[in-house]
Amino acid sequence: LLFISFASCSVQKQIARSAKADVLDNKSLQAAHVGISIFDPGTNKYLYNHQGDKFFVPASNTKIPTCYAAMKYLGDSLVGARIAIDEKARLLVFPTGDPTFLNSEFIYQAVFEKMKQHKEIFLYTDSWKEVRWGSGWSWNDYEAAYMAERSPFPVYGNIVRFYLSGDTLKSIPSSISVSADQVLGYDTKTGTVKLKKFTIERGIDDDKFFLKSSTNSFTSVSIPLRSDIGLVSGLLEDV
């Protein structure tokens, strides 16, 4: 019992040190309304409690004023890209991070219609200074559809959707290459696959998709694309 008591005190001290170093003493949070409450139901005691009795607005509630502000100040349309035409009639495109480009949920594609009028297109992404994942995103969720990566010029929502049409594996966009375990009998040229029990995985730093044997039958899956400028150029050439 004495050992358990010491262990419990040790855990509480570790939590207190971590809370102080990582949160309470964090300069960027000095003006924030901070609360930390960790409760152990086994002992019916708090392992740590800092302003646990204060009222806090749930984080998801911020979606409401964010939506209101967007609707009020952004209006009914956004700038899909800044464009210019040089002396050789080439289209110069300066992307603005428009997430609707070639997204199937948005029928009207103003930027795309403008692009189709030119044979030569130059994309300028030098002004993009952000990283592909937002702060706090879990790196090991990179294959989840809700973890679409940020980029200066998103295409198809930076998501690829794989699905089976009969015996054929198809994707949107259609030009995404896939490799597979030999046992699946996957034909890389036709897209046909003999065995239907498989899953699709992607490497964390590339767009190499791989069919892997599974105990479950495959139906469809949506996976984020690693949307670098090379991929974007290739997808634009295809369409």
Side-chain angles (χ1 to χ4, degrees), residues 9-204:
C9 291
S10 176
V11 170
Q12 288 178 306
K13 289 181 179 179
Q14 290 179 27
I15 294 174
R17 284 196 297 267
S18 178
K20 181 175 174 59
D22 299 334
V23 181
L24 302 182
D25 289 346
N26 190 318
K27 293 182 179 180
S28 63
L29 297 176
Q30 291 306 299
H33 185 37
V34 177
I36 305 173
S37 186
I38 303 175
F39 184 75
D40 182 1
T43 60
N44 201 36
K45 293 181 180 180
Y46 284 95
L47 295 177
Y48 188 80
N49 192 17
H50 174 75
Q51 298 199 128
D53 58 341
K54 300 293 192 295
F55 288 106
F56 289 83
V57 177
S60 58
N61 283 15
T62 61
K63 297 175 183 177
I64 299 173
T66 298
C67 179
Y68 169 77
M71 294 174 68
K72 180 177 180 179
Y73 295 106
L74 297 180
D76 62 355
S77 60
L78 296 172
V79 177
R82 305 288 183 183
I83 62 173
I85 300 175
D86 67 8
E87 66 280 358
K88 296 182 180 180
R90 299 178 300 187
L91 184 68
L92 314 181
V93 180
F94 302 84
T96 59
D98 172 23
T100 70
F101 184 75
L102 294 184
N103 190 316
S104 60
E105 295 184 18
F106 296 86
I107 299 174
Y108 179 61
Q109 294 284 333
V111 176
F112 185 53
E113 292 301 320
K114 185 66 177 179
M115 284 181 163
K116 288 195 294 185
Q117 300 173 17
H118 297 265
K119 292 183 177 181
E120 289 187 279
I121 301 172
F122 288 81
L123 297 177
Y124 290 87
T125 60
D126 294 345
S127 60
W128 176 258
K129 304 300 180 184
E130 298 294 335
V131 293
R132 52 179 167 157
W133 295 330
S135 177
W137 292 15
S138 300
W139 70 267
N140 56 342
D141 284 346
Y142 71 92
E143 289 185 291
Y146 59 82
M147 282 278 284
E149 298 183 8
R150 302 186 300 181
S151 67
F153 197 51
V155 287
Y156 300 95
N158 283 351
I159 294 286
V160 56
R161 179 177 179 268
F162 294 99
Y163 63 97
L164 274 178
S165 178
D167 294 333
T168 305
L169 180 67
K170 296 187 176 182
S171 67
I172 303 174
S174 60
S175 58
I176 301 299
S177 60
V178 180
S179 57
D181 285 338
Q182 291 184 351
V183 293
L184 293 173
Y186 176 70
D187 190 323
T188 56
K189 293 183 178 180
T190 63
T192 57
V193 57
K194 293 182 179 179
L195 300 181
K196 303 301 186 296
K197 290 188 175 181
F198 63 88
T199 184
I200 300 179
E201 298 179 353
R202 192 206 89 184
I204 190 170

